[in-house]
Amino acid sequence: MKQNLVFLTGAGVSAESGIRTFRDADGLWEQYPVMDVCSATGFARNPALIHKFYNERRKQLLQVSPNDAHRAIAELEKHFNVMVVTQNVDNLHEMAGTPAEHIIHLHGELMKVRSLADESKIFELSESNLETSPETRIEGHPVRPHIVFFEEAVPMIEPAAEVVAHADILVIIGTSLAVYPAAGLMHYARPGTPIYYIDPNPASVNTNIKIIAEPATMGMKTLTNILLK
């Protein structure tokens, strides 16, 4: 019987694909004040700016591909019941081969928008139709990025906590462990659950956590050797 292997992934897992993170020295926060482009207040104040910002992020996404870390996670589906809980809004885990039903996007999905009038109406954008604006209508609905902004609740946090609670092995990869509530998910793991933390600059964590101080691609090679030995 396969063990439940749960990954908590952050920006570092996609950084090696060329997706710029917010927190790096040359990250997106250097270009944009975060509360202007990633907050509910910012959207209410200047929706056109936020539509423009996410249009740019989608164009960037089309220029990158999954890296060896994404592919290694997908490859482990052969040996484990894999679930990925990601803070990332890109679709690189899906592109690498992890089934969409095995992925929980905590902070939303870049290639989707949703209705401002009915949040249950979610629409997937295509590569040929990436751009939206305050004037965009899909099936008659004005739309916004399908992103969890700062100042908004994280609707998928409870399903994610449930997944972590059933993990036989938990892997944290490419995250600063600075963004809550996502950073608190590891605490839902059952006592005694093996926890691995892959990051070249790991945050200070409990000594029971096994640290692999490597970038995501190298760290996943190390982890795979450990798990499959």
Side-chain angles (χ1 to χ4, degrees):
M1 188 173 179
K2 290 182 178 179
Q3 289 182 298
N4 296 327
L5 174 59
V6 176
F7 288 90
L8 305 181
T9 72
V13 80
S14 293
E16 291 178 82
S17 290
I19 291 188
R20 293 170 64 194
T21 69
F22 277 101
R23 285 183 166 75
D24 288 343
D26 63 344
L28 294 170
W29 284 355
E30 296 292 316
Q31 284 188 302
Y32 294 94
V34 63
M35 296 306 283
D36 285 355
V37 294
C38 293
S39 73
T41 300
F43 185 72
R45 182 173 59 242
N46 191 348
L49 175 63
I50 286 185
H51 277 280
K52 176 177 179 289
F53 177 79
Y54 286 102
N55 290 342
E56 292 173 359
R57 304 283 72 71
R58 293 184 198 108
K59 290 176 187 174
Q60 180 193 25
L61 182 57
L62 293 189
Q63 298 169 5
V64 302
S65 302
N67 60 52
D68 285 346
H70 297 107
R71 286 188 282 270
I73 291 170
E75 194 70 14
L76 286 170
E77 293 260 355
K78 296 176 181 176
H79 307 280
F80 299 91
N81 295 319
V82 173
M83 284 293 298
V84 176
V85 177
T86 186
Q87 297 176 63
N88 299 339
V89 297
D90 62 58
N91 59 357
L92 296 181
H93 282 299
E94 288 92 335
M95 290 173 64
T98 299
E101 61 269 23
H102 294 179
I103 304 170
I104 293 175
H105 282 273
L106 283 178
H107 296 157
E109 296 180 68
L110 188 55
M111 290 299 292
K112 294 180 180 179
V113 293
R114 69 174 183 264
S115 169
L116 282 167
D118 181 353
E119 290 200 344
S120 69
K121 299 285 186 183
I122 299 169
F123 307 101
E124 186 139 11
L125 301 175
S126 67
E127 292 187 9
S128 60
N129 188 24
L130 291 177
E131 297 198 7
T132 62
S133 74
E135 289 72 44
T136 298
R137 299 292 183 271
I138 301 179
E139 297 180 8
H141 293 265
V143 297
R144 55 160 282 177
H146 185 47
I147 300 292
V148 177
F149 294 142
F150 286 109
E151 305 169 327
E152 294 182 330
V154 181
M156 296 305 292
I157 197 69
E158 289 186 11
E162 184 73 13
V163 164
V164 173
H166 287 90
D168 296 308
I169 304 167
L170 180 65
V171 181
I172 304 161
I173 177 169
T175 174
S176 63
L177 296 175
V179 178
Y180 282 83
L185 281 172
M186 71 172 108
H187 302 301
Y188 287 89
R190 291 170 294 184
T193 301
I195 301 177
Y196 297 88
Y197 179 22
I198 300 171
D199 196 276
N201 301 294
S204 178
V205 292
N206 188 299
T207 54
N208 294 330
I209 295 175
K210 302 172 182 68
I211 294 175
I212 300 173
E214 297 174 341
T217 51
M218 291 175 57
M220 278 303 303
K221 287 181 182 177
T222 301
L223 177 73
T224 299
N225 288 335
I226 291 170
L227 296 181
L228 299 184
K229 67 181 179 182

